[in-house]
Amino acid sequence: MSDTTHSRPLPSSASPSPPRRIADAYADDLIVLDPVLGTIIGDRASHGRLPDFSPDGIDQLARLAGDTLRRLAAATSQQTVPEGDLATGAGAGAGAGTGPGTGTGTGPGTCTGTGPDAGSDAAIERNCARLLRERLTAELAMHETGETLRSVSNIFSPVHQIRTALTLTPTADDEDWRVVERRLRALPASLESYRAALTEGLRRGLPGGPRQITAMVGQLDEWTGRKGAWFSQFVAPGPEALRKELESAALEATAAVGRLREWLSQVYAPGVAGAPEVVGRERYAVCARYFNGIDLDLDEAYEYGWSEFHRLLDEMRTEAARIRPDAATPWTVLKHLDTHGHAVEGEEEVRVWLQDLMDEAVGRLDGTHFDIAERVARVESRLAPAGSSPAPYYTSPSEDFTRPGRTWLPTMGRTRFPTYELVSTWYHEGVPGHHLQLAQWAHLSDRLSRYQTGVGTVSANAEGWALYAERLMDELGFLSDPEHRLGYLDMQMMRAVRVVIDLGMHLELRIPRHSPFRPGERWTPALAEKFFRAHSGRPDEFVRKEVIRYQGTPGQAIGYKLGERSWLRGREAARAAHRRDGRDFDLKGWHMAALSQGSLGLDDLETVLAGL
């Protein structure tokens, strides 16, 4: 852990720094303070360290963000290209190089956008400036409202960040394992700093949610393990020469997690007993801005969630009738498929099956609907470690691709895996979903800033693309099997339900008259769970943990559907612009241009996509 930020001096007024230089300087300083992020993007100097999550560490992050915003303001106030033009403005000429990510390149994975200056340096600078300003402003708002002092969650907490960092730390040789040992030795102090932040949150009257604590305690029980501590299992493949040191470090880490678990259950849980499980409109708006990159009209978003619910319900009924015309509901059919549908038996067998599914997608999509660079084409299927969230997830490649992108399947003790729930999910997590977008960004890290490709990711942009990717695969005919298509619609329905219940319970909205469920009542977490269970093919335990997740990260779950809407709107606006101009719309070219922009908040995403 470091107590310095290594901040760069402010640029002189005679020579302002371009936004990309400011953004990359910020990223360099940030990973000193947040080595978990450093490991995620592949910074080797980060691998042996862990963050300071204490109030002082949180304040350092806020000071760095504030300093960077002032540098950005000083630099962009002297630029002559209007900020509002974004990637579609009339800035300096279009890029004409042939390397990855350039405006008119011809190699695999290049940007082939057709806007006035899509892919040019001027467009990249404008996009980078807007992203950096939006992200840092949203992060400071989270800091100022105290959200960082009550960061308890069954998926996004600092404890989960630490374990993710460990699973991504290289282990190729003895030196890598020595770095792993250093990181494990740093774990007790990092967890103590997290406890200090939660303690300060309690002192200020900023409690985390009681259900989050119960869920976290249960997860930490698994990590410290009745079947063997996860940390000891993690170091077991290490070299024999370092066996004693690694086992000792693993025991220290396990003991530290055990101490945190006891403190959470015996001190923090009683301290937050009776705290509200919903956040209200004011806190929700701040959190939603952070996860979505836009100041949302929350009531309009709620109505949109309901409209998608009804659309998908009609479509699910039609698809379910293709499988069992006599079934009462689509979810009756899904229950039938759990035991009688296509399935893969065995944990290793399902891992291989998912790998084959992604490899097939790469082979069929490359050259037809995308131009996939060779290193982007590599993606690995993995089984998630015990104690993970029940939902599958993805981890992006390192900047140099020495660590590939990976999809992770939590088995949750199962050995039978119905394929209806896997196919569209792996299009979401792998190809053409998260992997194709985030690996493409990494592929362009020499063209875009490190901030645009690995640091300033907006959740709703990435999740929206992944949900768009599921829909795209349906449009392209990859989900013609009725079981797989019904499973896809069920997952789409889950994302619509998320919008309804996340907004509904946190804002305590009224259930509309057109609802098939409790019309006229006001949402509560208990009603949210019942509604979700009635309209999902997921097991009860999954539903329970999902609702707990939404309670702990308000505004995040809505980004899947709202992000997908932005991607679809951007595509249709671009298609319409081509029609007006008498030009053919090249979907493959649009996809590659869109995936070559780097991160953007929803506030800017549609505008950029429409001009490609």
Side-chain angles (χ1 to χ4, degrees):
M1 292 179 284
S2 171
D3 55 8
T4 59
T5 63
H6 306 294
S7 297
R8 278 109 173 121
L10 286 168
S12 68
S13 58
S15 180
S17 297
R20 273 182 292 183
R21 287 174 53 194
I22 295 171
D24 280 338
Y26 170 76
D28 290 344
D29 290 342
L30 179 61
I31 62 177
V32 173
L33 299 176
D34 186 358
V36 169
L37 175 61
T39 289
I40 289 171
I41 65 176
D43 176 70
R44 293 193 66 84
S46 298
H47 296 334
R49 302 181 297 112
L50 287 172
D52 176 0
F53 294 109
S54 72
D56 286 346
I58 292 169
D59 287 344
Q60 286 188 61
L61 292 171
R63 286 195 295 273
L64 175 60
D67 289 347
T68 303
L69 280 173
R70 285 186 285 275
R71 292 176 195 163
L72 183 64
T76 55
S77 66
Q78 301 182 52
Q79 291 184 345
T80 58
V81 179
E83 291 280 329
D85 284 351
L86 290 169
T88 63
T98 58
T102 56
T104 58
T106 58
T110 57
C111 173
T112 56
T114 56
D117 66 344
S120 72
D121 282 345
I124 293 170
E125 293 293 348
R126 288 194 298 274
N127 289 353
C128 184
R130 290 184 69 101
L131 174 70
L132 185 62
R133 183 180 297 112
E134 186 279 317
R135 287 289 80 199
L136 296 187
T137 301
E139 289 167 15
L140 284 173
M142 293 283 279
H143 174 74
E144 289 163 6
T145 55
E147 296 301 323
T148 47
L149 294 175
R150 50 180 166 199
S151 181
V152 292
S153 165
N154 63 345
I155 187 170
F156 293 121
S157 80
V159 184
H160 296 85
Q161 294 175 37
I162 289 172
R163 195 165 75 148
T164 295
L166 283 168
T167 63
L168 297 180
T169 305
T171 56
D173 54 34
D174 287 10
E175 183 53 39
D176 284 345
W177 281 104
R178 290 188 181 94
V179 172
V180 168
E181 182 200 348
R182 288 202 299 273
R183 179 160 262 177
L184 287 169
R185 302 283 187 195
L187 187 146
S190 191
L191 291 186
E192 281 297 310
S193 71
Y194 174 48
R195 187 168 83 171
L198 295 182
T199 299
E200 178 63 12
L202 285 180
R203 189 187 71 79
R204 296 190 195 179
L206 301 170
R211 293 189 82 193
Q212 317 307 313
I213 299 305
T214 300
M216 285 183 67
V217 167
Q219 289 177 320
L220 300 187
D221 277 340
E222 289 192 60
W223 297 9
T224 54
R226 301 179 184 90
K227 298 181 180 178
W230 180 83
F231 297 96
S232 295
Q233 296 171 4
F234 174 69
V235 301
E240 191 60 36
L242 298 175
R243 173 72 49 220
K244 183 177 179 180
E245 292 88 345
L246 287 170
E247 289 180 350
S248 171
L251 288 174
E252 286 184 21
T254 301
V257 171
R259 288 193 296 273
L260 177 64
R261 184 254 180 234
E262 293 304 307
W263 181 82
L264 287 172
S265 61
Q266 296 178 12
V267 178
Y268 193 78
V272 301
E277 294 282 7
V278 297
V279 302
R281 188 173 287 264
E282 185 175 347
R283 275 184 65 195
Y284 192 95
V286 172
C287 294
R289 174 77 206 200
Y290 173 75
F291 287 116
N292 293 272
I294 188 172
D295 289 321
L296 290 165
D297 180 336
L298 300 179
D299 297 304
E300 186 277 334
Y302 182 63
E303 292 174 5
Y304 175 69
W306 274 113
S307 69
E308 282 294 277
F309 169 83
H310 288 296
R311 179 185 69 82
L312 288 163
L313 184 57
D314 288 343
E315 199 165 348
M316 287 186 74
R317 287 169 173 159
T318 300
E319 198 65 39
R322 295 177 61 194
I323 302 171
R324 294 196 69 185
D326 59 337
T329 72
W331 296 282
T332 305
V333 177
L334 292 174
K335 291 293 184 184
H336 170 78
L337 295 179
D338 282 336
T339 53
H340 297 93
H342 307 316
V344 180
E345 298 283 352
E347 291 186 351
E348 176 59 15
E349 288 78 4
V350 75
R351 187 199 66 77
V352 172
W353 189 86
L354 292 170
Q355 184 69 58
D356 291 344
L357 182 71
M358 290 188 295
D359 291 344
E360 178 193 24
V362 170
R364 293 179 63 183
L365 293 173
D366 186 23
T368 55
H369 301 287
F370 299 91
D371 286 321
I372 304 177
E374 182 177 354
R375 60 182 183 171
V376 174
R378 182 187 174 203
V379 54
E380 290 183 353
S381 171
R382 294 285 187 97
L383 300 179
S388 298
S389 165
Y393 59 96
Y394 170 79
T395 54
S396 57
S398 56
E399 289 177 319
D400 61 3
F401 283 84
T402 55
R403 183 192 72 230
R406 292 167 177 155
T407 62
W408 300 82
L409 173 68
T411 61
M412 309 302 291
R414 298 179 299 163
T415 58
R416 185 179 192 276
F417 302 90
T419 60
Y420 78 81
E421 66 182 46
L422 294 176
V423 175
S424 69
T425 298
W426 251 252
Y427 293 151
H428 179 111
E429 301 295 342
V431 179
H434 284 319
H435 176 71
L436 196 54
Q437 181 186 48
L438 300 180
Q440 175 71 4
W441 290 358
H443 178 59
L444 299 178
S445 58
D446 61 342
R447 172 71 173 159
L448 302 170
S449 71
R450 171 184 267 184
Y451 190 80
Q452 290 168 287
T453 60
V455 176
T457 303
V458 179
S459 175
N461 180 324
E463 298 298 352
W465 165 262
L467 201 57
Y468 167 85
E470 291 185 55
R471 184 182 293 225
L472 176 67
M473 294 300 270
D474 184 41
E475 293 173 350
L476 297 177
F478 281 74
L479 296 168
S480 57
D481 181 290
E483 292 188 19
H484 294 164
R485 189 160 195 279
L486 184 60
Y488 150 72
L489 292 171
D490 183 47
M491 298 306 291
Q492 283 271 335
M493 174 62 84
M494 182 176 74
R495 279 51 172 262
V497 166
R498 282 175 173 174
V499 177
V500 169
I501 65 176
D502 195 65
L503 283 157
M505 68 180 175
H506 281 296
L507 275 57
E508 299 179 290
L509 299 175
R510 194 173 297 280
I511 301 172
R513 294 176 182 173
H514 56 67
S515 168
F517 175 87
R518 306 288 186 90
E521 297 187 34
R522 289 198 179 274
W523 284 110
T524 65
L527 285 181
E529 195 167 317
K530 290 178 181 178
F531 179 75
F532 194 164
R533 188 172 290 113
H535 299 94
S536 173
R538 306 299 93 197
D540 286 352
E541 183 66 6
F542 180 95
V543 170
R544 185 183 68 84
K545 290 180 177 179
E546 278 287 292
V547 173
I548 291 172
R549 166 188 167 181
Y550 310 155
Q551 290 175 271
T553 52
Q556 191 272 340
I558 65 176
Y560 296 71
K561 261 293 169 188
L562 298 182
E564 179 198 41
R565 179 171 66 166
S566 290
W567 279 95
L568 289 168
R569 283 175 170 176
R571 184 180 72 176
E572 292 315 302
R575 197 189 302 271
H578 280 68
R579 281 198 302 268
R580 287 195 301 271
D581 296 342
R583 295 177 290 148
D584 291 334
F585 182 71
D586 174 14
L587 184 59
K588 182 177 75 169
W590 184 85
H591 279 147
M592 296 316 301
L595 291 176
S596 299
Q597 300 301 312
S599 183
L600 288 164
L602 299 190
D603 204 18
D604 297 323
L605 179 64
E606 284 186 44
T607 304
V608 171
L609 296 178
L612 298 177

